[in-house]
Structure formats: structure tokens, C-alpha cells
Amino acid sequence: MTDSDSTFDTEVYYDDDADRAQIDDKTVAVLGYGSQGHAHAQNLDDSGVDVIVGLHEASSSRSAAENDGLRVETPAKAAAEADIVSVLVPDTVQPDVWEDIREGVEEGDTLQFAHGFNIHYNQIVPPAGVDVTMIAPKSPGHLVRRNYEAGEGTPGLLAVYQDETGGAREEALAYAHAIGCTRAGVVETTFREETETDLFGEQAVLCGGVTSLVKQGYETLVDAGYSREMAYFECLNEMKLIVDLMYEGGMGEMWDSVSDTAEYGGLSRGDEIVDEHARENMEEVLEAVQDGTFAREWIAENQAGRPSYTQLREAEKNHDIEDVGENLRALFAWGADEEAEAESDEEKTEVRADD
């Protein structure tokens, strides 16, 4: 049942809240067969939902989807036949895909996303008469699929941007049920909140803040004369141990699990590193997300052929920490498997780009 416990700031929905009749007699077009696309399509199919995978004729993913027993059509044809069009291609590709499919999205249909960027920043402007929703699993696609097959669920987000039929939320919940998200819990949000918090988290903490902190810690030790290997172990390798503890039980479990020396050192020195100045910088990053500055910059960067993006990626790949890390990871028992997994991830990335 819907979780009305005051410990949650918003509604959380579970299996009992979803009416599968809202989707069982409908056709879903899943556009893209990358990280999220393959998981949504396969889970929907296993749940008995009529699924069409929409891929361009030259897509390298067509054979994979067909080998998985799924029907594949062009995005335009899939969208024209479907009642629900789930747009799971990369953000940068979505506006062009929308131009391909828009004539086939009719009044009463649903346009669905797993991230709100293009709707929130008006890169896609949906027509009147069409419901616009979001079901966003909070996990990479391979885990969404793995959890479903194990009879478990992946938490997800639900948002309604446009409810023209009066049943957008109920239909989205049924979709979330069919891909397994309501087994774990689906949190209600908005397109604005999901987009802005997602971009901020990526930039200030998860992808930008953490990597910058790791590199600066590494450089501080190496510049002070310590070995690159010790700097890597202390500033990058052990990061996983700490993050795993926080992931499993919050910061409280992490503090309870580390030594008293580590706890006192962290509690007494952490705010000296990430201080009020860092907080001010974070607020500036958030403001650039909220007022659209970042979105305009990223859109212009793609239109220009990604010159800054390419330069930044190359600089990151050539950082000294990557060189020493490649050698050290080979010492671990899981090091032999890492290369194969990296190749698999690279293939998935190429699929996303192609789709």
C-alpha cells in the first residue's frame, strides 16, 4: 500500500498500489536498447506486456533485441503502433528521435521518460492531448534486469508532467509494476525535481566532486614524496570500502565500522577540507542547473561537436592516477575479471551511442 509514514517526504508506491489492467491491454514501444532500454523491454515482455523495440535500421542493437525474442521496428513505426512510447535513448539523441516519431504519437498516447532533461529544458515540447510521465529506476539497467529475474525489485521514481487523460499516474504505476520497481518502492517526484537534483548530484558530488577530491588527495600525497601506490590505495582504492558501508547502512554504519582513530580524524578534519567555500561553490553549481545555464552550455557543446568535452575526457584519461591504478588493480583477485567487465561496459556504451 502507499506508504503514508511521516518518515517519507513524499508518496511511496508498492505492488498493491498498481493496477496492471492499466497497461496489460496496451502496446509499449521502448526506444533504445542500451542500459535501461534492454532492461525495460525484457522485463515488460516477461510480465506479459506487448513490447516493440524501436531502433534505427543501422543500429548495432537490433540483433541483440531480436535474439532476446523481441520484435524490432524503426522508432517511427514502433511509436505509431504503441500506446506508450518509452524514450530510453541518450538525452543528447532524444530531440532528434522526437522529430522522427512525433507524427505517430497521437492524442491519448503516453510519452514516457526515465530522465526529465529534455522535457524540463524544453528540448522536447509534447503536444496537447498526450500524457507525459516518468518512470526512472534508480539503478543501472543490468541491475534492474537482474533484480527482476531474481524476483526482487529496484526502487524507482514516478513523475507526471502532463496528464491529459486523467489516468497518467495510474498507467505509470502499472508500467513500474511491470518492470519490477513497485516490488521495492516507487517514490513520487516531479520532472523539475528529478532533473535538477540529478544534475546537481552528478556535478557536485557523485561524478565531479568525488573524482576531484580523490585526485587532489592523490596529488597532495605524491607531491609530498609518498609513493604513487600508497597514494592510490589511500585516496581511491579504499573509497569503495567506505561507500559500500554508507550505501548499506548510511553514514552512521560507516562511522561505527571504521576505527576510532579514523572516525575522530574524519569528524574533526572533514569540514576543514569540504568547508563553507565548497558549499558556496555547490550553490553556484545548483544555480547554474536551476536557471538553465548548464543545460544551454551542454546543448551548445553538442551542437559544436563536443570540443571541450573531448579535451576534458582526454585530460582525465591521462591523469597519473589512471596509470598507477591500472597496474595495482591487476594485483587483486577480481582484477582479471575487471578487464572483461570493462569491455562489456564499453560495448553497452557503444550501444547507447548507436541507439
Side-chain angles (χ1 to χ4, degrees), residues 5 59 70 73 95 129-130 139 175 182 208 225 231 262 264 267 304 340 353:
D5 192 308
S59 171
L70 297 167
E73 302 287 354
V130 172
S139 170
Y175 183 103
T182 53
Y264 176 73
L267 290 171

Side-chain angles (χ1 to χ4, degrees), residues 173-238:
L173 267 177
Y175 183 103
H177 185 283
I179 66 171
C181 286
T182 53
R183 296 175 182 175
V186 175
V187 178
E188 187 159 18
T189 184
T190 65
F191 271 67
R192 173 181 177 272
E193 183 178 56
E194 185 276 335
T195 302
E196 294 180 357
T197 57
D198 184 75
L199 293 176
F200 173 80
E202 291 168 349
Q203 295 169 27
V205 182
L206 305 176
C207 301
V210 166
T211 54
S212 182
L213 185 66
V214 166
K215 286 185 295 184
Q216 297 214 33
Y218 173 88
E219 292 167 2
T220 299
L221 288 176
V222 172
D223 290 347
Y226 299 100
S227 71
R228 298 190 305 157
E229 290 75 19
M230 288 302 298
Y232 181 90
F233 277 131
E234 296 303 327
C235 296
L236 191 153
N237 184 75
E238 294 192 21

Side-chain angles (χ1 to χ4, degrees), residues 128-353:
V130 172
D131 288 348
V132 181
T133 61
M134 180 195 305
I135 291 296
K138 297 305 292 178
S139 170
H142 70 278
L143 290 180
V144 175
R145 179 59 179 161
R146 184 187 305 169
N147 289 342
Y148 178 94
E149 291 182 302
E152 300 171 352
T154 301
L157 304 178
L158 177 153
V160 177
Y161 179 81
Q162 195 163 284
D163 185 5
E164 300 285 75
T165 66
R169 177 176 283 98
E170 290 73 19
E171 182 187 76
L173 267 177
Y175 183 103
H177 185 283
I179 66 171
C181 286
T182 53
R183 296 175 182 175
V186 175
V187 178
E188 187 159 18
T189 184
T190 65
F191 271 67
R192 173 181 177 272
E193 183 178 56
E194 185 276 335
T195 302
E196 294 180 357
T197 57
D198 184 75
L199 293 176
F200 173 80
E202 291 168 349
Q203 295 169 27
V205 182
L206 305 176
C207 301
V210 166
T211 54
S212 182
L213 185 66
V214 166
K215 286 185 295 184
Q216 297 214 33
Y218 173 88
E219 292 167 2
T220 299
L221 288 176
V222 172
D223 290 347
Y226 299 100
S227 71
R228 298 190 305 157
E229 290 75 19
M230 288 302 298
Y232 181 90
F233 277 131
E234 296 303 327
C235 296
L236 191 153
N237 184 75
E238 294 192 21
M239 174 74 73
K240 173 174 168 49
L241 307 178
I242 299 302
V243 170
D244 281 351
L245 290 169
M246 291 194 292
Y247 178 81
E248 293 167 5
M251 287 188 284
E253 180 167 322
M254 183 273 291
W255 290 126
D256 288 342
S257 300
V258 300
S259 70
D260 291 349
T261 304
E263 182 177 12
Y264 176 73
L267 290 171
S268 64
R269 299 298 193 272
D271 287 345
E272 293 183 14
I273 305 301
V274 185
D275 57 11
E276 285 301 312
H277 181 62
R279 173 65 177 270
E280 292 171 4
N281 290 339
M282 286 186 174
E283 290 172 352
E284 291 180 7
V285 167
L286 178 58
E287 184 177 351
V289 168
Q290 292 173 324
D291 66 17
T293 298
F294 172 77
R296 290 190 294 272
E297 177 186 325
W298 177 229
I299 292 165
E301 178 72 12
N302 281 277
Q303 292 172 341
R306 299 186 171 188
S308 296
Y309 176 69
T310 301
Q311 184 178 9
L312 290 168
R313 288 194 76 193
E314 284 303 308
E316 189 76 354
K317 289 179 181 179
N318 293 324
H319 191 282
D320 184 61
I321 199 171
E322 293 292 87
D323 181 49
V324 68
E326 183 176 359
N327 294 329
L328 284 176
R329 287 192 297 273
L331 302 178
F332 289 89
W334 44 262
D337 297 329
E338 185 181 68
E339 184 176 350
E341 185 173 338
E343 290 176 356
S344 176
D345 288 342
E346 184 176 348
E347 290 175 359
K348 290 176 183 177
T349 299
E350 290 174 353
V351 166
R352 289 196 295 271

